[in-house]
Amino acid sequence: MCTNPEDFGDSKKYSYQDVYSRLMSQERKEDNLTMTGGEPTIHPDFTKIIEYIKKDFVNMEVTLLTNGRRLSYPAFAKKCLEIKNLQVAVSLHGYNAQTHDRITLAKGSFAQTVSGITNILKYKNSFQGLTIRLVITKLTYKYVHKILDFISDKFPKVDKIVIMFMEIEGLAEKNIDFVGLTYKEWQVYESLIKPRINNFRQLRFYHFPLCVVAVDLWKYVWRTLPEEELTFSSQCKKCWCKKYCLGIHKAYVKIIGDEEFSPPKKTIIKAVGTNFQNHPIADVDC
């Protein structure tokens, strides 16, 4: 269900020189840098890229999106964590080998990912953060609460949990019959998340329009998708909370439709003043 095209992580297409050129062009223009893929850590020149970033991006926040498997090797984990301001986001797809490995289609991947998370927590410094990402699909939505229980038992010191509704792009669109899910189907299991939220330092929801999330969870909803990928349905025109809402991913409307979206019951919102664009709602009066 990866949203990137199949050749996105092709090291022949994205050579070290290509990566270097992109880094050079962004070095003075951005205040953060994200390494993604495919799986970025298996790029043959990844450690070389790490060295360059460590040297020339000293004060920039760097995020590594990874399956965590290569970080199960202590020496490699330590190398990655030489980047002072590194933020690592690891995808976890199950609460045991059976549930996780059926998503990755790689036997032993659960054990490696868990070991990778263990190493990150063991070796990271106070400036570095670890996020565990849970992607909601047809294959995972019924047991997300079990993944949360596994994380709280195994990794109580993780900095952040992100529950992400799948973007229907790339392989996710190609495999829509296997992984496709509606927000309405997810809502049945959403209530299982609520009693577990306080088990974590921070929990966020990504890619969720407000009207498909329980009102008392709105303060955990973040807006992280670019505006050009989003739309609003005709029902949204009269919605009182539209200005606080992410909107709907265009691909979702194209493939699944927009009939399930409608204005929620009005409530009192406490808005966030500083980071309004990405996290507009601080709390609600239920």
Side-chain angles (χ1 to χ4, degrees), residues 91-124:
S91 298
L92 187 64
H93 305 293
Y95 57 93
N96 57 24
Q98 180 182 0
T99 52
H100 180 93
D101 293 1
R102 77 184 282 240
I103 306 293
T104 64
L105 302 180
K107 187 177 181 179
S109 60
F110 177 76
Q112 283 189 314
T113 296
V114 168
S115 181
I117 293 171
T118 300
N119 284 338
I120 296 166
L121 290 171
K122 182 178 180 180
Y123 300 121
K124 78 180 187 73

Side-chain angles (χ1 to χ4, degrees), residues 10-20 43 45 49:
D10 186 346
S11 59
K12 293 180 181 178
K13 184 177 180 180
Y14 296 91
S15 66
Y16 173 75
Q17 189 57 46
D18 292 329
V19 174
Y20 176 80
H43 192 289
D45 293 309
I49 295 168

Side-chain angles (χ1 to χ4, degrees), residues 19-260:
V19 174
Y20 176 80
S21 297
R22 292 182 67 181
L23 289 171
M24 286 289 289
S25 67
Q26 295 182 25
E27 187 170 358
R28 303 291 179 257
K29 297 179 182 178
E30 307 289 342
D31 58 4
N32 59 76
L33 175 71
T34 298
M35 293 185 285
T36 184
E39 173 53 42
T41 63
I42 62 175
H43 192 289
D45 293 309
F46 188 75
T47 54
K48 191 176 177 181
I49 295 168
I50 288 289
E51 285 295 324
Y52 177 71
I53 292 174
K54 182 178 70 172
K55 176 176 174 289
D56 281 40
F57 293 77
V58 177
N59 297 315
M60 185 177 289
E61 182 175 292
V62 180
T63 299
L64 172 62
L65 306 181
T66 175
N67 59 30
R69 293 175 61 188
R70 245 196 120 182
L71 286 98
S72 64
Y73 299 95
F76 184 82
K78 290 178 182 178
K79 169 58 69 175
C80 293
L81 292 166
E82 288 178 1
I83 299 176
K84 182 180 70 173
N85 298 318
L86 185 68
Q87 307 298 311
V88 187
V90 178
S91 298
L92 187 64
H93 305 293
Y95 57 93
N96 57 24
Q98 180 182 0
T99 52
H100 180 93
D101 293 1
R102 77 184 282 240
I103 306 293
T104 64
L105 302 180
K107 187 177 181 179
S109 60
F110 177 76
Q112 283 189 314
T113 296
V114 168
S115 181
I117 293 171
T118 300
N119 284 338
I120 296 166
L121 290 171
K122 182 178 180 180
Y123 300 121
K124 78 180 187 73
N125 65 42
S126 59
F127 299 102
Q128 297 165 329
L130 170 64
T131 297
I132 297 181
R133 292 184 164 198
L134 284 59
V135 182
I136 306 300
T137 73
K138 184 189 291 186
L139 300 177
T140 62
Y141 77 109
K142 292 183 179 180
Y143 58 73
V144 169
H145 60 292
K146 293 184 179 181
I147 303 178
L148 292 175
D149 288 343
F150 171 80
I151 296 170
S152 63
D153 290 341
K154 183 77 174 178
F155 305 115
K157 294 184 179 180
V158 66
D159 299 290
K160 188 189 307 175
I161 303 295
V162 172
I163 296 176
M164 305 175 62
F165 198 89
M166 178 189 69
E167 297 173 70
I168 307 176
E169 296 176 338
L171 289 174
E173 182 175 0
K174 179 180 178 181
N175 296 314
I176 189 66
D177 290 340
F178 298 100
V179 299
L181 181 73
T182 67
Y183 286 108
K184 186 175 182 179
E185 290 172 309
W186 156 251
Q187 285 175 306
V188 177
Y189 291 86
E190 182 186 77
S191 61
L192 297 175
I193 307 301
K194 294 181 185 180
R196 293 166 167 83
I197 289 178
N198 291 333
N199 294 339
F200 305 100
R201 295 179 179 180
Q202 186 176 170
L203 186 142
R204 297 180 180 182
F205 288 90
Y206 287 179
H207 312 162
F208 287 85
L210 290 179
C211 64
V212 299
V213 179
V215 173
D216 54 345
L217 294 178
W218 282 7
K219 62 183 177 180
Y220 304 106
V221 176
W222 285 65
R223 301 197 292 199
T224 58
L225 293 172
E227 288 187 11
E228 60 269 21
E229 293 185 13
L230 299 168
T231 187
F232 287 93
S233 68
S234 58
Q235 302 94 297
C236 300
K237 292 180 180 179
K238 297 181 179 180
C239 183
W240 65 273
C241 60
K242 181 180 177 182
K243 71 176 182 178
Y244 301 104
C245 187
L246 168 76
I248 313 165
H249 198 261
K250 288 179 179 178
Y252 187 96
V253 174
K254 176 184 175 182
I255 296 171
I256 295 178
D258 65 357
E259 293 182 0
E260 62 192 298

